[in-house]
């Protein structure tokens, strides 16, 4: 079902909401999660429309569309975005039908998704935890997208100066003298019902944790602006929901250990690492043009490395993440074979020191079991491989 390459099958208009540029199609369906941030931001600033096109390979992509089309205003009654209900019966109904709001491309169990939605409508502070590349940020963004509320995104892992990101800066002007300019975060917490994403909170500077301590406390809910003249504190508006993500697991020793008091302020939603079966269906869903036997092998490789890294006698410290399997399959789609794809996407993540005893050698052995020619030298005996495979099931 390949479309005419010159005509888009969906056209969207991009509009700012908080610090995010959301994309709405002509039916009022929110398409934000399908389009890259930079593309949406440019379209919102440039005031042009984006169209979804299909290339010869059957893959879709978005670009500027100048053609004639009438774009409706955002329609909040559409089922991909919903008003947040208030009555208990309505809330019950909302939570238990909310699985339809989960994007198809996000693999997450129904129970976990509903728990996440329930925590969001109940105004809980949510913390998504799990190892790297398991979908924490994706799930957090999906919740934010599913609720028709102003949303703000802050990547705290990338912030060098928490004070200016979360509070603001003091400036000097020759006419006005010293004055204080508030951060976008201050605007965000003063917006009733805003959903505020605090990505990579576990990597944030401890100063950021200290600043957030009172903001996240249900009994306090204020931000202290110690630099500001006059007002000392800013109240968090009613209905504001925080969704944070954190890498928490014993392999993340480089991530600062988060303060217990801060953790206590959150409802934890643990993202599950995908099973081999779920990984296979995700890869098949995302890469319908790639041989499904090869996709199945990629899922097997990931699953073998994951169970090995969890075993008592682990020879590798972490398993291949879903982020990596998705990247690897993108290479397969672009014509690289499994061996080549693994070489550039998987191996660099594993330590090469120690020669035949290195982590990289171990992972190579697993991958080579699934490569076509099978001619490579085996450094492990069959028993060892059988043991690794046995652990996976
Ligand atoms: N459960 C999942 N369902 C669908 N895709 C997934 C899932 N987990 C990971 N992915 C894929 O991996 C990519 C990275 O996921 P994401 O950024 O959400 O990981 P993360 O858990 O936030 O990782 P990090 O700890 O490094 O921040 C996604 O863009 C997606 O392609
Ligand atoms: Mg993330």
């Amino acid at each position: 079902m390949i479309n005419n390459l010159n005509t888009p099958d969906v056209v969207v208009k991009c509009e700012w909401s908080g610090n995010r540029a959301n994309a709405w199609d002509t039916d009022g369906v929110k398409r934000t999660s399908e389009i890259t941030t930079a593309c949406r931001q440019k379209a919102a600033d440039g005031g042009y429309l984006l169209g979804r096109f299909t290339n010869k390979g059957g893959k879709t992509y978005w670009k500027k569309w100048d053609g004639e089309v009438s774009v409706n205003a955002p329609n909040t009654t559409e089922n991909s975005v919903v008003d947040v209900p208030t009555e208990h019966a309505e809330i019950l109904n909302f939570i238990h039908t909310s699985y339809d709001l989960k994007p198809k491309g996000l693999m997450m169990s129904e129970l976990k998704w509903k728990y996440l939605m329930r925590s969001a409508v109940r105004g809980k502070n949510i913390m998504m935890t799990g190892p790297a590349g398991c979908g924490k940020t994706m799930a957090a963004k999906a919740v934010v997208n599913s609720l028709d509320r102003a949303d703000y995104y802050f990547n705290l892992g990338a912030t060098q100066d928490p004070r200016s990101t979360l509070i603001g800066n003091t400036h000097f002007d020759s006419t006005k003298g010293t004055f204080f300019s508030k951060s976008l975060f201050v605007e965000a917490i003063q917006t009733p019902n805003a959903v505020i994403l605090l990505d990579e909170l576990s990597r944030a500077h401890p100063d950021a944790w200290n600043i957030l301590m009172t903001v996240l406390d249900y009994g306090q809910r204020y931000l202290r602006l110690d630099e500001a003249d006059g007002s000392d504190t800013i109240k968090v508006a009613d209905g504001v929901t925080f969704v944070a993500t954190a890498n928490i697991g014993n392999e993340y020793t480089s991530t600062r250990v988060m303060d217990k008091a801060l953790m206590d302020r959150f409802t934890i939603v643990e993202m599950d690492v995908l099973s081999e079966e779920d990984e296979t269906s995700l890869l098949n869903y995302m890469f319908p043009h790639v041989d499904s036997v090869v996709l199945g092998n990629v899922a097997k490789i990931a699953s073998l490395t994951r169970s090995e890294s969890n075993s008592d006698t682990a020879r590798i410290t972490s398993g291949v993440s879903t982020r990596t399997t998705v990247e690897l399959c993108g290479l397969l789609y672009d014509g690289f074979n499994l061996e080549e794809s693994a070489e550039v996407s998987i191996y660099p993540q594993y330590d090469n020191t120690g020669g035949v005893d290195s982590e990289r050698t171990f992972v190579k052995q697993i991958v080579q079991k699934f490569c076509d020619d099978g001619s490579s030298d085996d450094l492990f005996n069959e028993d060892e491989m059988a043991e690794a495979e046995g652990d996976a099931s």
Side-chain angles (χ1 to χ4, degrees), residues 105-107 131-138 200 247 271 274 282 286 322-323 326:
L106 168 68
M107 272 284 163
C134 69
K136 297 180 296 293
T137 299
M138 201 179 175
E200 305 201 8
N247 264 333
M271 277 303 282
L274 299 185
L282 173 68
M286 292 186 75
T322 300
R323 174 187 285 124
V326 168

